[in-house]
Amino acid sequence: MPSTPRPLRKLGFLTIGLFDEADPRRGHESTLEIIELGERLGFDSAWLRHRHLQYGISSPVAVMAAASQRTSRIELGTAVIPLGWENPLRLAEDLATVDGLSGGRINPGVSVGPPMHFDDVRAALYPDTADAEDFSYERVRRLLDLVRGERAGAFSGVRGFEVFSDRVQPHSPGLGRRLWYGGGSLSSARWAGEHGMNFLTSSVVKAEAPEGPYDFAEIQLSHIRAFRSAHPDGEEARVSQGLVVIPTDSASPEQRARYEEYAAQRTPRTATPQGPARLMFAPDIVGTSDQIAERLHAHAAFREVDEVAFALPFTFEHEDYVQILTDMATRLGPALGWKPSA
């Protein structure tokens, strides 16, 4: 099996946190139990997806706060918070608060652009300001400045019996270095690098070249290199890759069949760019840990990262996630050169 130029240093996983509308508490509890299991297995990080008006985690900051009180070591991230739904000042306060509660373990990932299906929610989300809202990179810059301690108010000092600050409180000095941008285009990669962020690249990228052939790994590789070339830290700038990876070492025959069917149903979308945005999807990787490791070692983009947050499939059961995470930590991670955290 070929070696990789960058041995895997950090192993994480990403979950959507599905729940039943009739019993949302059980689904959120399952997510917290999975994060606790991840810590026991030695994972370096656990990441939460973000879903509005769906049956998945709508408030990952709140879930991170809960997880911070049930874990002591594992880093907690979001992949990603769509800032079109957020006020950067209020989000900066929430993130700094949870970072303090966690002991400096959160890694917020964000993205910009209009909210998904904006016409369906604009009347509820921005009833008076929808046409004036700025969904550009400027929204990320505002969050960055506020988290990093730039002025948020015009006054600091004492008024009456109350003391006021002109920057977000609590202020978490290290949080600004742990902000991530989730991007799938060359412009996003460059912008994140120029602004000193970390870069999350997932199983979706944009095929921006007008003509093919299109190779997902090569497109993703071009984003990683564009990010690092623009970042002050150069080759040391942090990148995390988030492919869908399903090891089957300890899976039952029924589980293996279900996992393979899940991947097969999603494979057709990986052949060509999809939709007006020309999105390219990475094939899900299902197999034994040795088989997966061999495919990853041959993946052009994987070969240039030393951090991953493998995405858990959306619709599986709690027991499936336990099996997948256990195989990731005990078999796949070591096959990629990773060692579990104590």
Side-chain angles (χ1 to χ4, degrees):
M1 187 179 297
S3 62
T4 58
R6 291 176 178 264
L8 188 61
R9 184 172 57 87
K10 286 182 176 288
L11 176 63
F13 64 91
L14 169 63
T15 179
I16 194 173
L18 288 180
F19 60 84
D20 184 338
E21 183 180 19
D23 187 13
R25 183 177 186 275
R26 178 58 232 159
H28 286 84
E29 178 66 23
S30 172
T31 297
L32 293 172
E33 290 172 0
I34 287 297
I35 294 172
E36 290 180 284
L37 172 65
E39 177 160 277
R40 292 196 300 273
L41 289 170
F43 278 88
D44 298 289
S45 60
W47 300 74
L48 305 174
R49 285 192 184 273
H50 202 295
R51 287 294 184 270
H52 285 298
L53 303 183
Q54 293 180 268
Y55 305 106
I57 295 170
S58 62
S59 183
V61 179
V63 176
M64 283 197 299
S68 76
Q69 302 306 292
R70 294 169 60 157
T71 58
S72 61
R73 177 197 53 78
I74 194 168
E75 295 185 351
L76 306 167
T78 61
V80 290
I81 297 173
L83 287 186
W85 288 77
E86 305 288 342
N87 178 294
L89 174 56
R90 278 292 302 115
L91 181 60
E93 291 178 325
D94 287 347
L95 293 175
T97 299
V98 177
D99 198 46
L101 290 171
S102 72
R105 287 187 284 137
I106 74 165
N107 285 259
V110 300
S111 66
V112 293
M116 188 179 296
H117 308 302
F118 188 38
D119 288 343
D120 295 338
V121 299
R122 60 186 290 153
L125 187 59
Y126 297 115
D128 303 314
T129 62
D131 293 331
E133 291 293 331
D134 183 355
F135 299 127
S136 71
Y137 294 128
E138 175 64 16
R139 212 174 185 94
V140 190
R141 190 197 59 76
R142 287 169 55 199
L143 178 68
L144 281 172
D145 287 348
L146 292 165
V147 167
R148 291 171 175 172
E150 297 294 325
R151 292 183 67 184
F155 173 79
S156 65
V158 179
R159 280 180 175 162
F161 295 102
E162 297 185 80
V163 180
F164 293 86
S165 171
D166 61 359
R167 67 177 183 176
V168 166
Q169 297 298 337
H171 174 63
S172 180
L175 182 57
R177 297 189 297 274
R178 285 180 271 112
L179 286 171
W180 297 72
Y181 190 86
S185 68
L186 278 170
S187 60
S188 292
R190 293 191 187 104
W191 191 94
E194 289 166 356
H195 290 78
M197 299 186 74
N198 307 306
F199 188 55
L200 290 166
T201 179
S202 70
S203 57
V204 186
V205 297
K206 287 186 178 180
E208 297 171 283
E211 298 180 0
Y214 300 105
D215 181 275
F216 177 92
E218 291 296 333
I219 294 172
Q220 192 171 61
L221 175 62
S222 72
H223 296 173
I224 293 171
R225 289 180 173 173
F227 165 73
R228 286 189 167 133
S229 68
H231 198 287
D233 293 341
E235 290 301 306
E236 300 305 313
R238 292 180 68 185
V239 178
S240 180
Q241 185 189 47
L243 302 178
V244 178
V245 170
I246 310 175
T248 59
D249 302 88
S250 65
S252 68
E254 184 275 331
Q255 284 176 312
R256 290 193 191 96
R258 189 153 36 84
Y259 299 167
E260 290 168 357
E261 180 183 5
Y262 172 88
Q265 290 175 347
R266 287 157 51 95
T267 296
R269 68 178 187 165
T270 67
T272 58
Q274 304 291 300
R278 298 178 58 77
L279 300 179
M280 284 289 294
F281 293 83
D284 301 337
I285 306 178
V286 182
T288 66
S289 290
D290 285 343
Q291 291 169 337
I292 294 172
E294 185 172 8
R295 289 184 63 179
L296 289 174
H297 282 143
H299 193 288
F302 177 83
R303 291 170 60 85
E304 296 216 3
V305 302
D306 59 8
E307 301 185 41
V308 295
F310 290 136
L312 297 175
F314 287 176
T315 57
F316 289 4
E317 299 296 325
H318 183 90
E319 294 74 17
D320 298 330
Y321 296 137
V322 170
Q323 175 264 310
I324 291 169
L325 287 181
T326 301
D327 282 355
M328 278 186 187
T330 60
R331 305 191 186 192
L332 178 57
L336 296 172
W338 172 81
K339 295 181 180 179
S341 296

